[in-house]
Amino acid sequence: MPRQASAARVKQAAALFHALGDPTRLSLVQRLSSKGPESTAGLSEGAAVSRQAISKHLRVLSDAGLVLSFREGRERIWKLKPNRLQDARAAINHIDALWDEALDRLQAHVEAADS
């Protein structure tokens, strides 16, 4: 894979994991995943932070491509984009494969040194 493509993929994954790395944002993703689309007001109910803070967290999730919003009357409705969660899974699987390769190389090196 060309170095620029790899760097772009790492940058996209970093934004994704940054967005998921905050407990409030992760809670919003979990809520949208389990309950489906919901308004900003609905997502703010029972939250430990203000509605304005929820809106800021939703913008971060939106910038990372995890959620999208649309207007329904006077409300803004937020919806999860599950394909981005699949991107997170793919990034983790890629890192896992790299670690497996590194451990295989280490094992081969240790076994060769013992011979």
Side-chain angles (χ1 to χ4, degrees):
M1 170 180 310
R3 189 177 183 112
Q4 289 177 327
S6 178
R9 189 168 68 177
V10 167
K11 187 175 181 178
Q12 288 177 347
L16 177 62
F17 288 113
H18 167 75
L20 292 171
D22 179 87
T24 301
R25 291 192 290 267
L26 187 55
S27 175
L28 291 168
V29 168
Q30 289 173 334
R31 190 164 173 180
L32 290 169
S33 179
S34 66
K35 295 188 177 186
E38 196 165 348
S39 69
T40 305
L43 291 167
S44 300
E45 289 177 17
V49 296
S50 69
R51 184 174 175 170
Q52 291 80 10
I54 293 294
S55 291
K56 288 181 182 180
H57 283 295
L58 288 165
R59 279 194 295 276
V60 172
L61 292 170
S62 179
D63 290 347
L66 285 159
V67 298
L68 58 87
S69 69
F70 55 92
R71 303 283 298 170
E72 191 171 274
R74 294 178 57 150
E75 291 286 340
R76 179 157 300 278
I77 307 298
W78 295 89
K79 180 180 176 183
L80 184 66
K81 292 176 65 179
N83 62 318
R84 284 298 280 155
L85 294 177
Q86 292 169 354
D87 292 344
R89 182 178 295 119
I92 290 171
N93 288 341
H94 178 72
I95 292 167
D96 184 50
L98 293 175
W99 270 104
D100 285 345
E101 291 172 14
L103 290 173
D104 288 346
R105 286 192 309 272
L106 177 61
Q107 181 179 5
H109 177 73
V110 169
E111 288 173 355
D114 285 342
S115 299

